[in-house]
Amino acid sequence: MKLTSEEARFLTALLREQNQSGCRGPAHDLLRSNAYPNAPLIGPGAIAFSYETVPLTSLLLREFTDLQQIDDFLHKVEPVAGLGWPWPSATEYQARLELARREWTGGSTQTGPARNGTEMKSVPVRVSRNA
């Protein structure tokens, strides 16, 4: 599965917010409002929804070969400018998340329509969880 540039920008902001600001910031606000509107604002479960994205965010980290590279990526402080919700609907987000989840767990790959109506083809991705 290949992320679109919009998805990569959004997920980069999300990962950095998780790492730097305790799951607070514009990416988390967009995720909550567009995909998890019933997630509590405080208390138990208030940030659990953001960890649902791990299969997607792991795609950003797949090329890194050591923890220092991951740490350097997460600690870049420049904000992701012009952040927006990269999926046309919560349904499309859930479909992309499910595809990433299948690949992350070694499941099958699929094809599906891209946002512009062309066919998106995914390829198997090996993600090392030991990095």
Side-chain angles (χ1 to χ4, degrees):
M1 175 177 176
K2 184 174 178 170
L3 296 172
T4 66
S5 60
E6 291 173 342
E7 288 172 327
R9 285 170 29 81
F10 175 81
L11 294 169
T12 295
L14 190 73
L15 269 176
R16 290 180 181 162
E17 287 175 10
Q18 286 171 339
N19 187 266
Q20 298 172 9
S21 63
C23 297
R24 298 197 193 293
H28 281 80
D29 294 343
L30 285 166
L31 182 64
R32 179 190 304 276
S33 65
N34 286 283
Y36 302 97
N38 297 320
L41 295 174
I42 59 171
I47 62 171
F49 72 94
S50 68
Y51 290 97
E52 287 281 316
T53 64
V54 166
L56 281 169
T57 56
S58 70
L59 296 172
L60 292 172
L61 307 176
R62 67 182 166 204
E63 299 299 321
F64 298 131
T65 58
D66 63 47
L67 289 174
Q68 187 60 54
Q69 290 175 316
I70 293 171
D71 193 56
D72 292 344
F73 173 76
L74 293 176
H75 284 97
K76 287 185 179 176
V77 293
E78 68 272 0
V80 177
L83 188 63
W85 181 248
W87 299 279
S89 67
T91 303
E92 177 69 16
Y93 162 77
Q94 291 294 335
R96 295 288 281 162
L97 178 60
E98 183 56 33
L99 181 57
R101 191 176 286 132
R102 278 188 233 148
E103 290 186 17
W104 191 58
T105 60
S108 64
T109 61
Q110 295 184 348
T111 61
R115 288 173 61 177
N116 64 4
T118 62
E119 192 75 354
M120 271 191 318
K121 294 187 179 179
S122 60
V123 295
V125 174
R126 263 187 1 172
V127 178
S128 171
R129 290 184 207 100
N130 298 328

